[in-house]
Amino acid sequence: MAAGSGVAAESCVGQVVLPGDVLLLPVHPEEDGERLRLGAGAAPRGRLLCGPGLRRCAGGLLVTKCGLLRHRPAGGGAAGGAYWVDSQQKRYVPVKGDHVIGIVTAKAGDVFKLDVGGSEQASLSYLAFEGATKRNRPNVQVGDLIYGQFLVANKDMEPEMVCIDSSGRSSGMGIIGQDGFLFKVSLGLIRKLLAPKCEIIQELSQLYPFELVLGMNGRIWVKAKTVQQTLIIVNILEACEYMTAEQRKQALAKLSGN
């Protein structure tokens, strides 16, 4: 695409963008020295954050995934904010810091191999659990479900997971219970469920009491009081991807009336 060609990013928010499209950013002469940061953290005042599906190019932002363009303004009315592409991608690419659900596939010495849904398996040291030592090893078996986060994740190295935070605490990570139901959804639905004050989770919590573990790799583990209630919650979560908010509320109203 020729230099200078493209469309304004602000005018494309909420519309479908395709790989190869160039989104032009507004010019702020007083911010000529400002640089675009890649990452998932909060953007500093006046900085622009580039999210999934976008990459910096000479003209502005280059679209790398097909989906809807989203924008979150910066707090306090400052310039910048965040742009990202909301896509229905199902293939997961490991990202450092992401919390995921892995399935133990093998034990290789002091390291466990986990299937995380990526192009290759992740490694997990037996010492990467809270309170684990050479004598006090965690009881991890092949087939167990592990909830942890990526410590190392890039294209040149094998992904490495841990089940402790920077303080050495588990913070809810570790081996997931044997009961419950594991299923897979799109990455877009996972991001929606992980949003603060998600309406879907709030509505489901009024239906039945249940335990829920969400992995950024598209895997969900759920456990309710009975098998029937567990399957009902699973079916609702799977259908949420294709239902409107009104349809979801009608379905939940019918269930709560039974």
Side-chain angles (χ1 to χ4, degrees):
M1 190 172 288
S5 62
V7 292
E10 295 179 353
S11 64
C12 293
V13 174
Q15 299 182 10
V16 176
V17 291
L18 301 175
D21 289 349
V22 175
L23 307 176
L24 304 178
L25 299 174
V27 178
H28 299 284
E30 70 278 5
E31 299 172 4
D32 285 340
E34 180 180 55
R35 300 181 65 184
L36 189 66
R37 292 193 315 114
L38 299 177
R45 182 177 180 84
R47 291 294 183 91
L48 182 65
L49 193 67
C50 184
L54 297 173
R55 191 175 64 198
R56 183 66 187 266
C57 68
L61 299 177
L62 177 66
V63 180
T64 59
K65 290 181 182 178
C66 177
L68 296 176
L69 181 67
R70 303 293 188 188
H71 177 243
R72 184 185 68 234
Y83 283 98
W84 73 94
V85 176
D86 188 3
S87 62
Q88 296 300 315
Q89 178 181 348
K90 290 191 175 183
R91 180 179 177 272
Y92 177 70
V93 179
V95 177
K96 182 179 178 181
D98 274 3
H99 288 76
V100 298
I101 299 176
I103 304 172
V104 180
T105 58
K107 290 183 179 181
D110 295 336
V111 175
F112 303 106
K113 295 294 184 180
L114 281 75
D115 171 21
V116 293
S119 58
E120 60 179 324
Q121 295 187 340
S123 63
L124 173 66
S125 171
Y126 75 92
L127 292 173
F129 292 84
E130 182 179 1
T133 62
K134 290 185 177 180
R135 291 187 177 182
N136 182 29
R137 297 194 176 205
N139 183 22
V140 179
Q141 304 297 328
V142 174
D144 285 351
L145 301 179
I146 303 290
Y147 179 63
Q149 66 175 340
F150 283 113
L151 182 66
V152 176
N154 59 56
K155 62 181 181 180
D156 300 318
M157 296 179 64
E158 179 186 54
E160 181 180 342
M161 283 178 59
V162 294
C163 292
I164 51 176
D165 57 18
S166 58
S167 303
R169 300 291 184 180
S170 62
S171 300
M173 295 181 284
I175 304 174
I176 301 176
Q178 296 294 329
D179 299 331
F181 191 89
L182 179 72
F183 61 104
K184 196 175 188 310
V185 297
S186 71
L187 304 185
L189 179 58
I190 284 290
R191 288 193 291 268
K192 186 184 298 184
L193 295 174
L194 286 171
K197 298 181 180 180
C198 174
E199 292 184 356
I200 300 174
I201 302 298
Q202 292 178 351
E203 293 170 0
L204 281 176
S205 63
Q206 298 175 2
L207 186 63
Y208 303 122
F210 62 93
E211 300 176 48
L212 186 69
V213 180
L214 302 171
M216 283 296 294
N217 55 342
R219 290 175 178 168
I220 300 177
W221 178 87
V222 62
K223 178 186 177 183
K225 189 174 181 180
T226 65
V227 174
Q228 181 182 11
Q229 292 179 359
T230 300
L231 293 177
I232 289 175
I233 293 173
V234 169
N235 290 332
I236 293 175
L237 286 173
E238 288 182 329
C240 279
E241 192 166 357
Y242 310 103
M243 288 194 301
T244 63
E246 186 61 32
Q247 290 173 334
R248 184 180 69 248
K249 291 178 181 178
Q250 291 177 358
L252 290 172
K254 291 180 180 179
L255 290 171
S256 60
N258 292 338

